[in-house]
């Protein structure tokens, strides 16, 4: 309100200190989890771990904070169109506010804020005009002060800038956790986890450890989703709903193992902090989910087996062929005056004629299925002829 108050800075310092504690607790838990993986592995990473520890100590728990000051009355620039000059005054004011102070408590407050945020910015808005504070105001934009509207337009450009204003770096950046950018879905998972945490603790303020648990839980959920999505994308190419080719069981198992390895690698890259037990539990969930998905892909692949369903047509054809052969034998070997031979020949002819008309009806009513059957026949022929050749080459 009109300026950045000292008590605002102190409250922000308290909040940022709380965030720093949670950040350090998370780093400590991650280091402990790494140490639990084995003495030999820990010794191998001892030197690099120390270097990373130094780097982490300099990291900022938060990305950016921007002070939005309302009803600012102290712009030195008299030209209301000189927004750039006003922004320069904002920068100078922020430097003055965050500059070191002689008093130890004021100095500690500013040091704490500077150490917890990667970027600190400030923007000031003038009073929107006395017309908008009246009870009869109905939202008419024309009654708002022109300078306020100009500054508000500039502020919106700053907040939602993705290309960089005047050649500067874009100000709208994605949220990151441990240096990894979050997607919208992943960010939503974190928000849900924090909301559930505050719902469970009620009116009490959460401890840093509780905040860490919520963050670790959300991160593990995102790691599970990302890893299973990786597996699904890789397997969809081979045996998904849109795939057309049938693969032998050994080929599909090899693809399954490859996709599983890449999915677990994606999980390990994301699930890198929190308690080791929670990470292992999440990893087990990934393995169970992959196993269930593999059964689905296996079923889809079996449904494309070119030999599947051939018995429906092979059995009637076999009966018709046997009937035709037996009739030919009967006509060739029996005498024409034998009533038994003529009756047998007619019965056999009726059998294969019934089969013939049955197949004609099937062809006319199930042309699409028959076309698929012919394609399966070709695929089965190639499958049976290619397998011996492939085994010979191997």
């Amino acid at each position: 309100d009109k300026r950045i108050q000292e008590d605002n800075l102190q409250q922000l310092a308290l909040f940022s200190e709380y965030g720093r504690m949670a950040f350090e607790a998370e780093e400590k838990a991650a280091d402990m989890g790494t140490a639990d993986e084995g003495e030999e592995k820990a010794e191998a990473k001892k030197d690099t771990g120390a270097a990373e520890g130094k780097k982490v100590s300099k990291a900022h728990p938060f990305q950016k904070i921007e002070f939005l000051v309302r009803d600012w009355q102290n712009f030195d620039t008299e030209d209301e169109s000189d927004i750039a000059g006003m922004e320069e005054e904002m920068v100078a004011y922020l430097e003055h506010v965050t500059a070191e102070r002689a008093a130890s408590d004021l100095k500690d407050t500013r040091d704490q804020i500077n150490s917890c945020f990667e970027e600190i910015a400030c923007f000031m808005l003038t009073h929107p005009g006395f017309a908008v504070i009246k009870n009869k105001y109905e939202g008419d934009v024309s009654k708002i002060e022109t300078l306020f509207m100009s500054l508000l337009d500039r502020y919106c450009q700053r907040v939602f800038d993705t290309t960089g204003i005047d050649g500067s770096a874009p100000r709208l950046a994605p949220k990151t956790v441990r240096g990894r950018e979050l997607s919208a879905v992943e960010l939503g998972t974190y928000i849900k986890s924090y909301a559930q945490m505050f719902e469970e603790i009620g009116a009490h303020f959460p401890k840093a450890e509780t905040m860490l648990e919520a963050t670790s839980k959300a991160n593990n959920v995102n790691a599970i989703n990302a890893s299973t999505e990786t597996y699904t994308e890789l397997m969809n190419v081979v045996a998904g709903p849109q795939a057309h080719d049938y693969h032998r069981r050994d080929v599909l198992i090899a693809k399954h193992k490859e996709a599983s390895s890449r999915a677990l690698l994606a999980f390990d890259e994301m699930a890198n902090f929190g308690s080791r037990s929670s990470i292992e539990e999440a990893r087990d969930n990934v393995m169970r989910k992959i196993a269930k998905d593999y059964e689905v892909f296996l079923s889809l692949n079996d449904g494309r087996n070119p030999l599947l369903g051939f018995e429906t047509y092979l059995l009637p054809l076999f009966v018709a062929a046997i009937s035709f052969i037996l009739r030919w034998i009967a006509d060739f070997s029996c005498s024409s005056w034998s009533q038994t031979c003529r009756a047998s020949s007619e019965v056999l002819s009726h059998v294969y004629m019934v089969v013939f008309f049955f197949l004609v009806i099937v062809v006319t009513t199930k042309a699409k299925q028959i076309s698929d059957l012919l394609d399966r026949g070709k695929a089965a022929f190639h499958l049976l002829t290619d397998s011996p050749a492939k085994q010979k080459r191997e």
Side-chain angles (χ1 to χ4, degrees), residues 82-377:
D82 188 12
I83 304 298
M86 296 179 187
E87 286 185 308
E88 293 178 359
E89 293 186 36
M90 299 175 193
V91 174
Y93 175 74
L94 179 62
E95 292 177 351
H96 170 72
V97 171
T98 58
E100 293 188 3
R101 298 291 191 271
S104 60
D105 57 338
L106 301 181
K107 181 178 182 299
D108 293 341
T109 297
R110 285 153 177 79
D111 291 342
Q112 179 63 36
I113 295 175
N114 288 323
S115 65
C116 287
F117 292 94
E118 296 178 0
E119 180 184 354
I120 302 176
C122 173
F123 198 87
M124 303 169 183
L125 294 174
T126 58
H127 194 281
F130 292 104
V132 303
I133 63 175
K134 296 180 179 179
N135 294 332
K136 296 181 180 180
Y137 179 68
E138 297 179 350
D140 188 357
V141 179
S142 62
K143 295 182 179 180
I144 301 177
E145 292 289 338
T146 304
L147 178 57
F148 176 86
M149 293 296 294
S150 299
L151 290 171
L152 181 61
D153 177 67
R154 181 64 168 181
Y155 179 67
C156 291
Q157 294 180 25
R158 285 165 52 104
V159 171
F160 299 104
D161 171 43
T162 58
T163 58
I165 300 177
D166 299 332
S168 61
R171 299 180 61 84
L172 183 61
K175 178 64 180 174
T176 61
V177 173
R178 293 178 63 85
R180 192 185 67 84
E181 295 182 357
L182 300 181
S183 66
V185 176
E186 293 173 348
L187 181 60
T189 303
Y190 279 98
I191 295 174
K192 291 178 181 178
S193 180
Y194 294 143
Q196 182 180 1
M197 176 194 65
F198 282 102
E199 182 180 358
E200 291 175 353
I201 64 175
H204 302 286
F205 198 70
K207 297 180 180 179
E209 291 80 4
T210 307
M211 200 76 171
L212 170 62
E213 293 176 2
T215 305
S216 175
K217 179 181 178 181
N219 187 73
N220 289 338
V221 171
N222 288 331
I224 292 174
N225 294 336
S227 57
T228 53
E229 183 178 352
T230 299
Y231 175 81
T232 303
E233 288 178 354
L234 293 173
M235 291 298 292
N236 273 337
V237 178
V238 180
Q242 303 301 324
H244 301 286
D245 297 332
Y246 169 76
H247 300 277
R248 297 193 308 275
R249 183 64 62 89
D250 57 339
V251 175
L252 190 64
I253 291 176
K255 295 292 185 180
H256 162 68
K257 291 181 178 179
E258 179 185 356
S260 299
S261 300
R262 295 179 63 176
L264 293 177
L265 180 61
F267 175 85
D268 293 336
E269 290 178 351
M270 288 187 61
N272 51 12
F273 69 89
S275 64
R276 179 55 52 183
S277 60
S278 62
I279 294 178
E280 290 298 331
E281 181 180 357
R283 204 173 196 273
D284 292 340
N285 290 336
V286 173
M287 296 299 295
R288 287 192 292 269
K289 183 68 168 58
I290 287 177
K292 291 181 180 179
D293 290 345
Y294 174 67
E295 294 297 329
V296 175
F297 288 117
L298 185 62
S299 176
L300 292 173
N301 184 68
D302 290 342
R304 302 186 187 96
N305 190 338
L307 300 178
L308 184 66
F310 262 68
E311 63 277 3
T312 305
Y313 304 95
L314 289 179
L315 183 59
L317 289 174
F318 177 76
V319 172
I322 294 298
S323 301
F324 179 81
I325 294 173
L326 292 176
R327 187 200 175 193
W328 181 82
I329 294 174
D331 292 343
F332 181 78
S333 60
C334 293
S335 302
S336 58
W337 51 266
S338 175
Q339 185 67 24
T340 303
C341 286
R342 287 200 302 271
S344 299
S345 178
E346 290 177 359
V347 169
L348 292 173
S349 65
H350 291 161
V351 169
Y352 67 74
M353 289 301 294
V354 168
V355 173
F356 173 76
F357 284 111
F358 166 75
L359 293 178
V360 169
I361 294 173
V362 170
V363 169
T364 55
T365 57
K366 297 185 177 182
K368 180 64 170 60
Q369 288 84 343
I370 296 300
S371 176
D372 294 339
L373 180 64
L374 294 177
D375 293 338
R376 286 184 178 182

Side-chain angles (χ1 to χ4, degrees), residues 19-31:
R20 186 188 61 79
M21 291 172 58
F23 185 78
E24 291 182 352
E26 170 258 306
E27 293 295 334
K28 183 178 179 180
D31 293 339

